[in-house]
Amino acid sequence: MNRKVTHVVVLAAGKGTRMKSQVPKVLHRIAGLTLIERVLRTAAALSPATTTLVVGHGADDVKASLAALGKLQFVVQEKQLGTGHALLQAAPVLRGKTGTLVLLSGDVPLLRPETLLSLIATHDEAGAAATVITARLPRPFGYGRIVRAGGRMTKIVEEKDASPAQRAITEINSGIYALDLAPLFDALVSIGTANKQGEYYLPDLIAIYRKQKRPVATWTVERAEEIRGINSRAELSEVSAMVRQQKNEELMAAGVTLVDPATTYVDSDVVIGADTVLHPFVILEGSTRIGAACEIHAGSRIVNSTLGDRVCVRNHTVVSDSTVEAGARLGPFAHIRPGSRVGEDVHVGNFVELKKASMGKGSKANHLAYLGDATIGSGTNVGAGTITCNYDGEKKHQTVIGNNVFIGSNSTLVAPVTLADGSYIAAGSTVTKDVPAGALGIGRARQENKDGWVAKRKERK
Ligand code: UD1
Ligand code: CA
């Protein structure tokens, strides 16, 4: 592969008026990833020497959302005067550099790296000053049209500026280009605003280069979906559905059973082992990883969490930012909140909530419990209705429960408190003192039975 140095610029300053949103358009998400993250992943496949984002609307939010990526440069376009003006803002970063600039739109999330490689190959072969990705659309409304004479592209006209004959052209401008850096910035300066929208149109570059007798070229994508832009919530949902369907197909090809793909929602980065079964209405989000031969039942939602092999998640369970080890059983109606670790073969049953809690191998909390800021060893049984009182109104405190502990039902464990290995807690206890290994902790009012009390009460009446 004979490749010149590649630089990438992404235009992302626009407001996205039609989204009707406080959130900048490029921060809306499709299957867990923002539009801009998707575009930047595609760009990264080109191993560019530099990647520059032109930001404007919501610039600080866009920058903050990408802080973890590093290696990006940002230039601010204060006023959105058009795509030609937007690219000009990158001059301080790129002027004087040579090689190929790949220009991307922050709102075109489905573009594949392979397509960009084809674009660059065409651009190099043609020795072009500018190469445009085009597509044929049966309904080209809204896009810039590729005007050709004798088969060669002569200019691009925007919908609003097009004559009726030009509007009938079905070959459209994707807004994605390969551009030779050497002549670029001088040419950009000569773009004017004599058009219906009074904007600096980047596509005017084509006519300018033709006048200068510089070669221009096109690369037409086969599947036009790839260059779809997101301009509205309706388009966001349509493209989301396409991404979701593709993810589902990949999962099934990799040996995952989806009982009803139409109601299964799996984010793009989720990884799932073979022979796992997803029942209807399962939602798997973010960086979630699910092992092999798991069963996830209807209505469950798992966010940024890791599940080992053979985990069974019964209906309506929520797991977030936690780890669940092999063979564990959760739910129905379990809530595993961030920072929890559910160990091997652990059972967490209905209406049990964990928060920053760890349960060792084979431990059980089968019914109605709150375990927060707690460390629980292995082989321990947490009775129904057990509550760790972790909060004193000001601070959180730890509860430490050892191995093979038995906690009777309806116990309240007032933290900080430690129940050592093998200890027993009598049902209904309020535990405020540490319980030594092997001891019985009992903390409740002693029961008294008053013989004949019922009959005596009747006599009194
Ligand atoms: C643009 C093209 C059109 C093409 C279409 C493909 C122009 C004039 N028209 O139209 O030929 O068919 O894309 O989707 O370029 N942006 C800025 N600053 C600005 C204006 C836009 O950063 O001042 C950014 C937007 O945030 C967006 C991208 O540039 O990411 C495209 O702008 P948009 O207004 O969506 O252009 P279109 O009207 O779709
Ligand atoms: Ca657009």
Side-chain angles (χ1 to χ4, degrees), residues 58 62 128 132 147 162 185 191 215 267-268 293 361 368 371 385 395 425 443:
V62 176
V132 184
V147 179
F185 289 100
I191 290 177
D267 279 357
S268 293
K361 186 172 175 170
L368 300 159
L371 304 169
K395 282 196 208 128
I425 303 300

Side-chain angles (χ1 to χ4, degrees), residues 11-15 18 25-26 54 77 79-86 104-108 142-145 156-158 172-175 177 197 199-203 227 229 231:
L11 300 188
K15 185 171 183 200
R18 281 173 283 168
K25 175 158 77 172
V26 294
V54 181
Q77 184 193 25
K79 277 189 181 161
Q80 283 70 57
L81 303 178
T83 47
H85 179 259
L104 304 173
S105 251
D107 63 351
V108 179
Y143 288 93
R145 309 295 208 285
I156 300 175
V157 280
E158 294 304 302
I172 61 97
N173 171 24
S174 67
Y177 318 80
Q197 306 190 79
E199 283 182 6
Y200 296 94
Y201 285 171
L202 181 61
I227 53 98
N231 298 298

